[in-house]
Amino acid sequence: MTRKKNKKMRWWRMDLHIHTPASSDYEEPQVSYLDILRKAEERRLDIIAFTDHNTVAGYRAMLAEIEQLELLERLERLRPQEKERLDEYRRLREKILVLPGFEFTATFGFHILGIFSPETTTRELEHLLITLNVPPDKLDAGSTEVGAASDVLTAYRVIDGAGGIVIAAHANSSHGVAMRGLRGFAFSGQTKIAYTQDEHLHALEVTDLEKKGRRTTAAFYSGSKPEYPRRMRCIQASDAHRLDNHPKDKNRLGIGGRVTEVLLPELSFEALREVFLGTDFTRTRPARSKAQAPFDYVAAARESGPSTVSYTHLRAHETSLHLVCRLLLEK
C-alpha cells in the first residue's frame, strides 16, 4: 500500500501490542477484525500491530477476508453489505498503518514482541516462528505455552535479523525480562543485564512510563548505572485482549488503553523502525490528552539523574576548568 509522504515531521499515535480472537486468551471471541480497526480509529490510533501469542493467524484471517471480498468484487458478485465491508477495510487500512507481528514466548516464559513490515508475508512469519521452535502444529493455537521454545537472546537476534522491531513485552511486569517479582527461578544479575541490554533489543514496553521518579523502569534503564550503560527506549502499549477497557479491572485494557506517540516524517514501517534503531529518545513519548501538560523531557532527565555519558562529559568539563585555573594562577 503506497502512502503519501509528509514534508514535515509530526507525531503519530501507536499501540504496538494488540491481540485478536486468534489468541486463545482473548476475552471477546465474537469480535471481528473490522471491529478492531474501527476501535483503533475511534481511539485515534495511526499505527497498530497484531501481536497474538506465538501465531500470526489473526493477521492472516484479516487478509483472507479482504482477499475473499476482493475476489467477489472482481467477479461482480459482491452483495451491498459485503461491498460496504470491503470499502470500510480499504478506508481504515489507508488511514491506519496495520502491522503484522506476534508475541513470542521464550524459554522460562519471557514474552517478546516482533513487529514487521506489511510487506512481510504471513508464511515468512510462520517460518520465523518455527525457527524459534514453535511446533508447526501449534502455529494456529494462539497459546502462551509452546513447549521448549528458543531462549531470549536467540529470539532477539532472529527477529532483528528478519527485519523486525524487537520489543520486550511488559518488561517490568509478569513474563517481563526485567524480572520484577519473578519467583521460582534463580537468575543471575548478569542474565538480567544481558536480557535488557542486548544490541538486538530495540525497546522495553513498560507499564509505568508516565510515572515519575528514580524508581521507574525508564529511570532505571536511562544509562545512569555503570552495569546498565546502554540507555533503553521505553514505550507503552495496551496489551489489549478486548476492544474496550474492562469497567472493573483497570489492568485489563482495551485497544489504545496505553498509547505511545512517535515522531515520524511519514507513516511507514521503515520510518518507524529507523526510530527504534536510533538513539534519539525524544522521538517517542507517552501520549497525553489535551488536558495534560506536554511531556517535559528536561524534567524527566533531571529526575532520572545523570547518565554514564553525561557524567563522563561533566567530569571532563571539570578537569578542563581546573587546568585553566591552575595555568592562570601559575602566571
Side-chain angles (χ1 to χ4, degrees):
M1 185 180 298
T2 303
R3 293 179 181 275
K4 184 178 179 181
K5 294 185 178 182
N6 295 289
K7 295 181 180 180
K8 296 182 179 179
M9 302 277 280
R10 60 158 283 194
W11 290 99
W12 305 85
R13 289 166 54 86
M14 67 180 180
D15 186 349
L16 296 182
H17 194 169
I18 293 176
H19 291 267
T20 80
S23 287
S24 61
D25 57 354
Y26 197 74
E27 298 178 21
E28 300 170 326
Q30 77 283 359
V31 164
S32 72
Y33 297 97
L34 192 54
D35 290 334
I36 292 174
L37 299 192
R38 284 170 172 161
K39 181 58 64 174
E41 179 186 39
E42 181 184 317
R43 298 290 294 173
R44 299 186 295 112
L45 296 174
D46 303 296
I47 308 170
I48 64 172
F50 284 11
T51 52
D52 288 307
H53 294 296
N54 304 296
T55 185
V56 291
Y59 189 81
R60 187 181 68 233
M62 180 190 70
L63 294 184
E65 181 184 358
I66 294 172
E67 289 172 2
Q68 178 65 21
L69 292 172
E70 289 177 335
L71 174 60
L72 292 173
E73 181 184 52
R74 290 194 297 272
L75 296 174
E76 299 183 351
R77 295 177 184 174
L78 264 185
R79 297 173 180 174
Q81 188 176 15
E82 292 170 333
K83 182 181 186 307
E84 180 181 340
R85 194 170 182 83
L86 179 57
D87 289 344
E88 187 74 341
Y89 263 126
R90 285 171 171 166
R91 183 185 70 83
L92 290 168
R93 293 183 71 212
E94 181 65 30
K95 184 177 183 180
I96 302 170
L97 179 61
V98 184
L99 302 175
F102 50 73
E103 183 173 12
F104 173 68
T105 305
T107 306
F108 301 115
F110 295 109
H111 288 190
I112 301 161
L113 299 178
I115 315 294
F116 297 86
S117 165
E119 304 303 319
T120 309
T121 67
T122 56
R123 180 169 294 184
E124 289 174 307
L125 295 181
E126 287 175 340
H127 178 73
L128 199 62
L129 287 168
I130 292 174
T131 301
L132 293 172
N133 290 337
V134 175
D137 61 346
K138 291 190 175 182
L139 282 177
D140 291 339
S143 172
T144 59
E145 303 295 332
V146 291
S150 297
D151 64 272
V152 169
L153 298 182
T154 297
Y156 291 166
R157 175 178 52 79
V158 170
I159 296 170
D160 183 27
I165 297 172
V166 186
I167 303 172
H170 32 74
N172 63 318
S173 187
S174 59
H175 302 288
V177 296
M179 304 184 191
R180 289 193 181 180
L182 193 63
R183 299 289 184 269
F185 295 102
F187 290 101
S188 68
Q190 290 300 317
T191 301
K192 180 177 177 180
I193 292 171
Y195 283 6
T196 58
Q197 296 281 282
D198 189 78
E199 63 177 335
H200 298 289
L201 176 64
H202 302 140
L204 304 175
E205 178 204 338
V206 303
T207 60
D208 60 351
L209 189 58
E210 295 200 72
K211 293 183 180 179
K212 298 180 179 180
R214 295 177 182 271
R215 299 196 177 193
T216 64
T217 310
F220 187 90
Y221 293 102
S222 63
S224 60
K225 300 180 181 299
E227 64 272 34
Y228 293 90
R230 182 186 173 209
R231 180 177 177 180
M232 294 303 302
R233 184 180 304 280
C234 290
I235 66 165
Q236 62 181 7
S238 67
D239 190 9
H241 285 70
R242 53 189 295 118
L243 286 184
D244 295 297
N245 294 349
H246 193 279
K248 296 182 180 179
D249 188 346
K250 64 179 181 180
N251 294 317
R252 291 156 66 183
L253 300 178
I255 295 170
R258 288 194 191 100
V259 178
T260 299
E261 292 182 342
V262 58
L263 188 63
L264 301 174
E266 63 179 23
L267 188 59
S268 72
F269 174 80
E270 291 72 24
L272 183 65
R273 191 170 191 268
E274 181 182 357
V275 169
F276 275 92
L277 267 62
T279 56
D280 185 350
F281 295 95
T282 65
R283 292 183 65 181
T284 52
R285 67 187 185 188
R288 307 177 73 80
S289 67
K290 293 181 180 179
Q292 293 175 299
F295 189 73
D296 192 333
Y297 287 103
V298 175
R302 287 172 178 167
E303 287 173 357
S304 64
S307 67
T308 304
V309 174
S310 63
Y311 178 77
T312 302
H313 288 173
L314 178 62
R315 292 296 297 166
H317 176 72
E318 290 175 347
T319 302
S320 299
L321 184 61
H322 177 75
L323 180 61
V324 171
C325 291
R326 180 180 174 183
L327 291 172
L328 290 174
L329 288 173
E330 288 177 354
K331 288 184 179 181

